[in-house]
Amino acid sequence: MTDTATDLPVRTPLSIAVDGPSGSGKSSVSKAVARSLGLAYLDTGAMYRAATLWVVREGVDFDDQSAVAAAVRAMPLVQTLDPVDPGVALAGQDVAEAIRSEDVTRVVSRVATNLDVRAELRRRQREIIDGETRPGGYSAGRGIVAEGRDITTVVAPDADVRILLTASEESRLARRSLEVRGTADAESVAAMRDQVLRRDRDDSTVTEFTVAADGVVTLDSSDLDFDQTVAAALQIVSRAAHVRPATKA
Ligand SMILES: Nc1ncnc2c1ncn2[C@@H]1O[C@H](COP(=O)(O)OP(=O)(O)OP(=O)(O)O)[C@@H](O)[C@H]1O
Ligand SMILES: Nc1ccn([C@H]2C[C@H](O)[C@@H](COP(=O)(O)O)O2)c(=O)n1
């Protein structure tokens, strides 16, 4: 495999783990990196969102932690790993749009902070990253980019490349506001505080995604535009994962 940013060969299969807070650009940057390198793409946040939708649809009480975990263990989730068109299906039904609804975003942290749910989804994530299951028929022989909140630290601490993608609160709120409302005026930015900052506060009770663990490279995108951030991520990959020719004695 060749890194299109540097034209140098990189390890195959290649595993790239990306974590970071809400709105830092994990999904969009990871998809672009995966497209550029011809890798599969795993959105682990989509798994927590699908689990939340499933729990709601099954009529399970969020306060009944063991019933929530049992429902998630039985969840018939299939994701496609194509970075151009990542799909999410529950019981054969396309839910890619439904899991992004405000209703799901508001309550997803309640499911994501259930430790038994986390254990089940971690198990599924590792199977996908390790190549034991590749749902949805997308071939990921060249490797995978997996992104979330605990991929660099807990799910895939042995990944070839590990990146913590950060950005200031101000940038993250403005980006989310532009994405959701098409404007970053003061009122719209303020309206994003719950789905960005409150959610991070709740999620960070069970995972650390603001400080890089040992060996994880921090990429601060606050002052970078999208293309610059993707280029910087590709540089990190190429530095960390080049196959160096053997040196002659
Ligand atoms: N460096 C950047 N500069 C400007 N906008 C960016 C940058 N990176 C990402 N964006 C935009 O910010 C928005 C949020 O990005 P994205 O959804 O990828 O974040 P995320 O970290 O995956 O968030 P969440 O965890 O909440 O799903 C998107 O509209 C994306 O296009
Ligand atoms: N590895 C992960 C991925 C996601 N989460 C939680 C945190 C979020 O509130 C929720 C949805 O993620 P998003 O789609 O916004 O990236 O899932 C987690 O705890 N661990």
Side-chain angles (χ1 to χ4, degrees):
M1 183 194 328
T2 299
D3 170 359
T4 53
T6 62
D7 278 339
L8 286 168
V10 292
R11 257 176 231 152
T12 306
L14 180 66
S15 55
I16 302 175
V18 180
D19 285 327
S22 176
S24 59
K26 295 179 302 297
S27 307
S28 47
V29 171
S30 296
K31 271 188 274 192
V33 166
R35 280 198 303 270
S36 172
L37 296 174
L39 304 177
Y41 163 70
L42 176 64
D43 177 354
T44 63
M47 298 173 83
Y48 286 96
R49 289 172 177 275
T52 304
L53 188 62
W54 180 249
V55 165
V56 170
R57 289 189 176 174
E58 290 291 283
V60 178
D61 178 358
F62 278 121
D63 290 327
D64 187 341
Q65 298 263 320
S66 57
V68 167
V72 172
R73 278 192 288 271
M75 169 175 68
L77 169 68
V78 175
Q79 281 170 285
T80 2
L81 306 177
D82 182 349
V84 176
D85 184 21
V88 190
L90 274 176
Q93 188 197 357
D94 178 359
V95 293
E97 205 174 306
I99 62 169
R100 309 268 161 219
S101 71
E102 283 195 25
D103 284 348
V104 169
T105 302
R106 199 168 41 248
V107 294
V108 63
S109 298
R110 296 190 65 184
V111 172
T113 51
N114 178 318
L115 297 183
D116 292 330
V117 166
R118 299 195 71 77
E120 168 63 13
L121 295 191
R122 262 198 321 260
R123 186 189 64 73
R124 296 191 191 199
Q125 289 157 14
R126 286 182 180 134
E127 281 186 355
I128 295 168
I129 293 167
D130 294 345
E132 288 165 29
T133 54
R134 295 286 198 213
Y138 184 78
S139 161
R142 293 152 72 89
I144 192 162
V145 183
E147 54 95 357
R149 305 291 194 290
D150 58 354
I151 311 304
T152 62
T153 51
V154 181
V155 175
D158 297 329
D160 298 312
V161 186
R162 293 182 298 152
I163 299 173
L164 181 74
L165 183 56
T166 64
S168 64
E169 284 187 5
E170 193 189 7
S171 314
R172 294 187 289 115
L173 286 167
R175 286 174 190 173
R176 186 61 86 212
S177 175
L178 260 180
E179 182 185 13
V180 174
R181 298 196 168 193
T183 166
D185 63 25
E187 189 205 329
S188 303
V189 167
M192 297 298 119
R193 295 184 75 83
D194 181 73
Q195 60 164 285
V196 175
L197 304 185
R198 190 272 306 158
R199 204 151 59 89
D200 278 350
R201 249 191 334 272
D202 291 352
D203 295 332
S204 63
T205 59
V206 290
T207 47
E208 169 57 84
F209 49 81
T210 54
V211 177
D214 276 357
V216 176
V217 181
T218 300
L219 171 53
D220 184 344
S221 68
S222 309
D223 298 321
L224 303 179
D225 68 21
F226 179 73
D227 289 344
Q228 290 170 327
T229 308
V230 174
L234 286 168
Q235 279 297 330
I236 293 169
V237 172
S238 90
R239 273 200 300 271
H242 276 144
V243 178
R244 302 264 175 224
T247 44
K248 285 188 186 139

Coordinates of all heavy atoms in Angstrom, one line a residue, residues 21-29 149 175-176 179 199 221 224-226 229, ligand 1:
P21 N -12.8 14.4 21.4 CA -14.1 14.8 21.9 C -15.1 15.1 20.8 O -14.7 15.1 19.6 CB -13.8 16.1 22.7 CG -12.5 16.6 22.1 CD -11.8 15.4 21.6
S22 N -16.3 15.4 21.1 CA -17.4 15.6 20.1 C -17.1 16.9 19.3 O -16.7 17.9 19.8 CB -18.7 15.8 20.9 OG -19.7 16.2 20.0
G23 N -17.2 16.7 18.0 CA -17.0 17.9 17.1 C -15.6 18.1 16.8 O -15.3 19.1 16.1
S24 N -14.7 17.3 17.2 CA -13.2 17.5 16.9 C -12.9 17.2 15.5 O -11.9 17.5 15.0 CB -12.3 16.7 17.9 OG -12.6 15.3 17.8
G25 N -13.8 16.4 14.8 CA -13.6 16.0 13.4 C -13.2 14.6 13.2 O -12.8 14.2 12.1
K26 N -13.4 13.8 14.3 CA -13.0 12.4 14.2 C -13.6 11.7 13.0 O -12.9 11.0 12.2 CB -13.5 11.6 15.4 CG -12.8 12.0 16.7 CD -13.4 11.1 17.8 CE -14.9 11.2 18.0 NZ -15.4 12.5 18.3
S27 N -14.9 11.7 12.8 CA -15.6 11.0 11.8 C -15.2 11.5 10.4 O -14.8 10.7 9.5 CB -17.1 11.1 11.9 OG -17.6 10.8 13.2
S28 N -15.3 12.8 10.2 CA -15.0 13.3 8.8 C -13.5 13.1 8.5 O -13.2 12.7 7.3 CB -15.4 14.7 8.7 OG -15.0 15.5 9.8
V29 N -12.6 13.4 9.4 CA -11.2 13.2 9.1 C -10.8 11.7 8.9 O -10.1 11.4 8.0 CB -10.4 13.9 10.2 CG1 -8.9 13.6 10.1 CG2 -10.6 15.4 10.2
R149 N -14.0 7.1 21.3 CA -13.5 7.8 22.5 C -12.5 6.9 23.2 O -11.7 7.5 24.0 CB -14.7 8.0 23.4 CG -15.9 8.8 22.9 CD -15.5 10.2 22.6 NE -16.7 11.1 22.3 CZ -17.4 11.0 21.3 NH1 -17.2 10.1 20.3 NH2 -18.4 11.9 21.1
R175 N -18.2 24.5 14.6 CA -18.3 23.5 13.5 C -19.6 22.7 13.6 O -20.3 22.5 12.6 CB -17.2 22.4 13.7 CG -15.8 22.9 13.3 CD -14.8 21.9 13.6 NE -13.5 22.5 13.5 CZ -12.3 21.8 13.8 NH1 -12.4 20.6 14.3 NH2 -11.2 22.4 13.7
R176 N -20.0 22.3 14.8 CA -21.3 21.6 15.0 C -22.5 22.5 14.6 O -23.4 22.0 13.9 CB -21.4 21.1 16.4 CG -22.6 20.2 16.6 CD -22.6 18.9 15.8 NE -21.8 17.9 16.4 CZ -21.1 16.9 15.7 NH1 -21.1 17.0 14.4 NH2 -20.5 16.0 16.3
E179 N -22.7 22.8 10.9 CA -23.1 21.5 10.3 C -24.6 21.3 10.5 O -25.4 21.0 9.5 CB -22.4 20.3 11.0 CG -22.7 19.0 10.4 CD -22.1 17.8 11.2 OE1 -21.6 18.1 12.4 OE2 -22.1 16.7 10.8
R199 N -22.5 16.4 26.6 CA -22.3 15.0 26.2 C -20.9 14.6 26.6 O -20.7 13.5 27.1 CB -22.6 14.8 24.8 CG -23.0 13.5 24.3 CD -23.9 13.5 23.2 NE -23.3 14.2 22.0 CZ -22.6 13.6 21.1 NH1 -22.4 12.3 21.1 NH2 -22.2 14.2 20.0
S221 N -6.7 20.5 15.9 CA -7.2 21.1 14.6 C -7.9 22.4 14.8 O -8.4 22.9 13.8 CB -8.2 20.1 14.0 OG -9.4 20.0 14.8
L224 N -6.7 24.7 12.1 CA -6.6 24.1 10.8 C -7.9 24.0 10.1 O -8.9 23.7 10.8 CB -6.0 22.7 10.9 CG -4.6 22.6 11.7 CD1 -4.2 21.1 11.7 CD2 -3.6 23.4 10.9
D225 N -8.0 24.1 8.8 CA -9.2 23.8 8.1 C -9.3 22.3 7.9 O -8.3 21.6 8.2 CB -9.4 24.7 6.8 CG -8.4 24.3 5.7 OD1 -7.9 23.2 5.8 OD2 -8.2 25.2 4.8
F226 N -10.4 21.9 7.3 CA -10.6 20.4 7.1 C -9.4 19.8 6.3 O -8.8 18.8 6.8 CB -11.9 20.1 6.5 CG -12.2 18.7 6.3 CD1 -12.5 17.9 7.4 CD2 -12.1 18.1 5.0 CE1 -12.7 16.5 7.2 CE2 -12.3 16.7 4.9 CZ -12.6 15.9 5.9
T229 N -6.3 19.5 8.2 CA -6.3 18.5 9.3 C -6.1 17.1 8.7 O -5.4 16.3 9.3 CB -7.7 18.6 10.0 OG1 -7.9 19.9 10.4 CG2 -7.7 17.7 11.2
Ligands
LIG1 N1 -10.4 20.9 10.8 C1 -11.7 21.2 10.5 N2 -12.0 22.5 10.2 C2 -13.3 22.8 10.0 N3 -14.4 22.0 10.1 C3 -14.1 20.7 10.4 C4 -12.8 20.3 10.6 N4 -12.8 19.0 11.0 C5 -14.1 18.6 10.9 N5 -14.9 19.7 10.6 C6 -16.4 19.7 10.4 O1 -16.8 19.7 11.8 C7 -18.1 19.0 11.9 C8 -17.9 17.9 13.0 O2 -17.0 16.9 12.5 P1 -17.2 15.4 12.8 O3 -18.7 15.0 12.8 O4 -16.3 14.7 12.0 O5 -16.8 15.4 14.4 P2 -16.7 14.2 15.4 O6 -15.5 14.4 16.2 O7 -16.9 12.9 14.7 O8 -18.0 14.5 16.3 P3 -19.0 13.5 17.1 O9 -18.1 12.7 18.0 O10 -19.9 14.4 17.9 O11 -19.7 12.6 16.1 C9 -18.3 18.4 10.5 O12 -19.2 19.3 9.8 C10 -17.0 18.5 9.8 O13 -17.1 18.6 8.4

